Amino acid sequence: MSSSDRSQAADVKGTYEVRTFGCQMNVHDSERMAGLLEGAGYVRAPQGVDAADVVVFNTCAVRENADNRLYGNLGQLAPKKAARPGMQIAVGGCLAQKDRDTIVEKAPWVDVVFGTHNVGKLPVLLERARLRDEAQVEIADSLEAFPSTLPTRRESAYAAWVSVSVGCNNTCTFCIVPQLRGKEKDRRPGDILAEIEALVDEGVSEITLLGQNVNAYGSDIGDREAFGKLLRACGRIDGLERVRFTSPHPRDFTDDVIAAMAETPNVMPQLHMPLQSGSSRVLKAMRRSYRQERFLGIIEKVRAAIPQAALSTDIIVGFPGETEEDFAETLHVVREARFAQAFTFQYSKRPGTPAAEMPDQIPKKVVQERYERLVALQEEISWEENKKQVGRTLELMVAEGEGRKDDATRRLSGRAPDNRLVHFTRPEEPVRPGDVVTVDITYAAPHHLLAEGPARTVRRTRAGDAWERRTAAPQEQQGGGVMLGLPGVGAPDPLPAATGGCGLG
C-alpha cells in the first residue's frame, strides 16, 4: 500500500515492523506489540519492504553482544529515517529496560524507548513523540498490567503461547533477567484456562505454557501443586490436542508434575529442562538451587514414567572458575541424561551480573575447546537417539515454514509428539499446517528425521481449517497473523524446539 493509498484509508496510520531478539518471552511480547499497533490503526508492512513507517526493536539483554547488535541495526536505519519524514523507531524489551538512559544518547534518531513492564504504552508513546517532536523514554519499574490483557496478533493459526506467569524469583549469578522482568507474578488458573479455551475455539490445537520458570507457577498464589493441576486441567479441554511447557527449573520439579505429564494424554512426551552445568561446585557458584544428583534424579523419574520422552536442555560452558574436572562432570551428565537436543552457550560476561565480577574468568581459547568437545558429544548422542526412532510410526502435526528445502524435495515438515522435527513425503491429497499425518520413520539425522514412504493417514483438523481461513483472507486483513482481543494470545514460531526462558532459565 502506497503512502497516498494509506492517507485515503480512514483507519490506517501506516505500516509497522517488529524485529525480535531473544527468548520465547520476547517473541510473545512482540505479538502483543503487533496487536497494540494494529489496534491503533497500523498494518503490518509486507515482507521485503525497505522500511516500514514504524519499526520496533524488541531487545534482549542476555545474549552475547546484544547491545552491539541493536546499535548496528539502528545505525542501518538512520539514513532511511532521515530520508523519510514521519518514520518512527521504537526500542523496547530487556535491553531498553536496562539501558534506559543511554539508547537515545547513542542513537538520537530513536523516537521511543519503553521497557518490559509497560508494553501497553507503545502506541501512546509513538503518538506523543510525533506530536512533541522529541524522543519519549518511559520505563516502568513494575508491571502495569498483566501482558495477557493486551490485544495480541499471533503468528500461527494452529499453535499458541500462553503465559502462566511473568518475572523470576531466582538470583542466578549469570542472569540479569530478574532485574529486568521483576519478581514472579502468577496468573489465576481460571484466566489461563479461559484463554486456552478461547484459542481452541479459534482453531488452535497446540499450546505451550510459558513462564520464566514455568513450574514455579503457584508460588505467587500459595499452591505448590498448582502447575501439575494446571496440566491436568488442560487435559480436560475438548479439542486441545497438544500441550507443552517451557522452561521448568529443576528446583521446582515435583513428583506431582511428572505424574500429571504421564497421566494427561494431551501433555506431550517432551521435557526441556536447563542443566547449565553438570558440576555441583559450579552450580553452587551459579546460585542454581540443585546439584547434579537432583538433576539426574528428575531425569530418571521422567524416563520411568514416560519412557518415550525426549529431553532437551541448556548448558553454559566456561563459567568463571570452571576447571577441567568441572567440565568433565558436565560431560558425564550429558552422557547419563542422553538429551535429544542441547542448546549450548559459551559463557560471556553480562554487565550487571555477579558472575561478570568473579575471579578466574576462563580464557576464550579454553572455553572454545571445551565447547567444541561438548557439541561433538551431544551431536553423537542426538544422532544415536534419533536412530532409535527409525521404524516407528509417528503422528505429526504439519508445520509451516520448518523445512527450508521442502519445496525442492517435494516434502512437508511436521513435529512428532516429542517435538522432533520430521520431514515427510508430500501426500497426494492436500495437507495444511495444523493437519495431522501418520508416517513411518525411515532415516535419522542428528537434528531431524525422514519419513520417505507414503503417509499412512492424513487427518484434516479444525486447526488446518483455521490456517486455511487465515491464508484465504484478504492480505490487508491477514497481516501475517490472526487477531484476537481479550484474552491475549501468542504462538510458537511456528512449532519451536524450545529453549529455556531467555536461553538461561
Side-chain angles (χ1 to χ4, degrees):
M1 183 182 291
S2 69
S3 298
S4 60
D5 289 335
R6 285 197 307 271
S7 66
Q8 295 171 9
D11 298 326
V12 177
K13 290 184 177 180
T15 59
Y16 77 89
E17 176 189 2
V18 181
R19 302 185 187 181
T20 308
F21 307 100
C23 66
Q24 299 97 320
M25 204 71 73
N26 275 24
V27 173
H28 195 18
D29 284 349
S30 289
E31 293 183 322
R32 296 182 178 114
M33 294 174 194
L36 287 160
L37 290 170
E38 297 198 6
Y42 294 90
V43 296
R44 179 170 295 184
Q47 289 187 352
V49 299
D50 191 39
D53 297 313
V54 171
V55 179
V56 182
F57 291 91
N58 187 10
T59 63
C60 172
V62 174
R63 304 299 188 187
E64 187 173 5
N65 298 322
D67 52 349
N68 291 339
R69 187 176 184 187
L70 170 65
Y71 293 120
N73 277 272
L74 290 175
Q76 292 175 6
L77 278 186
K80 297 178 182 178
K81 187 174 189 296
R84 291 186 57 187
M87 179 182 175
Q88 290 186 293
I89 299 172
V91 179
C94 290
L95 195 63
Q97 189 80 21
K98 183 173 81 73
D99 292 348
R100 62 186 76 185
D101 299 323
T102 60
I103 291 175
V104 174
E105 179 182 336
K106 291 184 177 181
W109 54 94
V110 169
D111 299 277
V112 169
V113 180
F114 63 105
T116 59
H117 298 309
N118 60 335
V119 170
K121 291 288 187 66
L122 174 58
V124 172
L125 292 171
L126 287 168
E127 188 64 20
R128 191 185 300 165
R130 191 186 311 278
L131 293 173
R132 297 182 180 179
D133 197 25
E134 63 180 11
Q136 300 298 303
V137 179
E138 187 169 309
I139 306 291
D141 290 321
S142 60
L143 194 66
E144 294 184 345
F146 202 93
S148 287
T149 63
L150 301 174
T152 306
R153 174 169 289 284
R154 55 187 172 93
E155 295 299 323
S156 171
Y158 56 90
W161 300 118
V162 175
S163 291
V164 304
S165 63
V166 294
C168 178
N169 292 338
N170 292 320
T171 58
C172 300
T173 55
F174 54 78
C175 185
I176 199 171
V177 167
Q179 299 177 41
L180 306 179
R181 293 273 181 182
K183 292 293 185 181
E184 181 178 325
K185 183 175 178 59
D186 294 337
R187 295 176 69 190
R188 293 186 303 173
D191 292 342
I192 297 169
L193 295 172
E195 178 176 347
I196 296 171
E197 289 169 353
L199 286 163
V200 172
D201 287 344
E202 290 290 326
V204 167
S205 59
E206 174 173 323
I207 60 101
T208 301
L209 302 175
L210 183 64
Q212 213 72 54
N213 292 312
V214 68
N215 60 325
Y217 176 73
S219 62
D220 185 46
I221 57 179
D223 185 356
R224 284 184 53 82
E225 296 188 350
F227 189 66
K229 294 174 182 176
L230 183 62
L231 291 178
R232 293 182 186 276
C234 288
R236 295 191 288 271
I237 296 177
D238 187 39
L240 180 59
E241 297 195 19
R242 295 186 172 193
V243 178
R244 306 185 191 276
F245 59 90
T246 192
S247 281
H249 194 293
R251 180 197 66 186
D252 302 303
F253 216 102
T254 52
D255 290 349
D256 66 292
V257 171
I258 298 173
M261 292 173 64
E263 297 166 8
T264 309
N266 64 355
V267 175
M268 293 294 96
Q270 172 210 356
L271 174 63
H272 179 88
M273 186 167 64
L275 168 65
Q276 307 306 6
S277 175
S279 164
S280 293
R281 191 188 70 83
V282 172
L283 288 171
K284 183 178 180 180
M286 289 178 166
R287 275 192 224 146
R288 301 286 288 179
S289 48
Y290 57 91
R291 300 297 177 258
Q292 180 190 114
E293 295 76 12
R294 162 72 173 160
F295 188 92
L296 288 175
I298 296 170
I299 297 296
E300 183 178 358
K301 289 180 179 180
V302 169
R303 290 209 186 280
I306 315 167
Q308 298 295 341
L311 310 179
S312 58
T313 196
D314 300 329
I315 300 173
I316 299 172
V317 178
F319 188 81
E322 180 188 74
T323 65
E324 181 61 28
E325 289 73 21
D326 292 321
F327 180 65
E329 290 295 298
T330 294
L331 296 181
H332 167 71
V333 174
V334 170
R335 292 188 185 98
E336 289 293 310
R338 299 197 63 80
F339 300 112
Q341 189 174 19
F343 299 88
T344 52
F345 305 88
Q346 296 186 38
Y347 173 80
S348 61
K349 290 184 178 182
R350 298 295 188 268
T353 63
E357 306 302 323
M358 287 182 175
D360 300 322
Q361 300 283 329
I362 310 299
K364 172 67 175 176
K365 182 178 180 181
V366 175
V367 177
Q368 181 67 34
E369 189 273 336
R370 290 177 185 170
Y371 176 80
E372 290 173 359
R373 275 192 282 157
L374 173 61
V375 169
L377 174 62
Q378 182 56 52
E379 288 279 300
E380 178 185 333
I381 292 172
S382 294
W383 201 357
E384 290 172 356
E385 291 300 303
N386 274 0
K387 287 176 182 177
K388 295 177 183 178
Q389 305 299 310
V390 174
R392 292 189 65 198
T393 300
L394 299 178
E395 189 174 73
L396 312 179
M397 181 175 290
V398 181
E400 183 176 26
E402 294 237 44
R404 289 174 294 178
K405 299 180 180 178
D406 281 352
D407 287 339
T409 58
R410 289 283 300 163
R411 292 180 181 135
L412 296 175
S413 297
R415 291 281 175 176
D418 64 10
N419 212 36
R420 282 183 166 92
L421 177 63
V422 182
H423 305 302
F424 61 96
T425 301
R426 189 187 300 267
E428 292 298 324
E429 58 191 288
V431 179
R432 308 159 301 177
D435 286 340
V436 174
V437 300
T438 306
V439 299
D440 297 323
I441 304 302
T442 57
Y443 175 82
H447 303 293
H448 68 269
L449 303 171
L450 285 182
E452 298 167 297
R456 284 177 174 263
T457 62
V458 174
R459 176 163 61 89
R460 293 173 71 84
T461 65
R462 292 175 64 251
D465 293 342
W467 178 89
E468 195 165 44
R469 286 194 300 271
R470 184 190 73 179
T471 54
Q475 186 63 38
E476 61 269 20
Q477 293 179 14
Q478 285 184 43
V482 177
M483 187 68 175
L484 288 183
L486 302 180
V489 294
D493 183 20
L495 286 171
T499 64
C502 294
L504 300 172

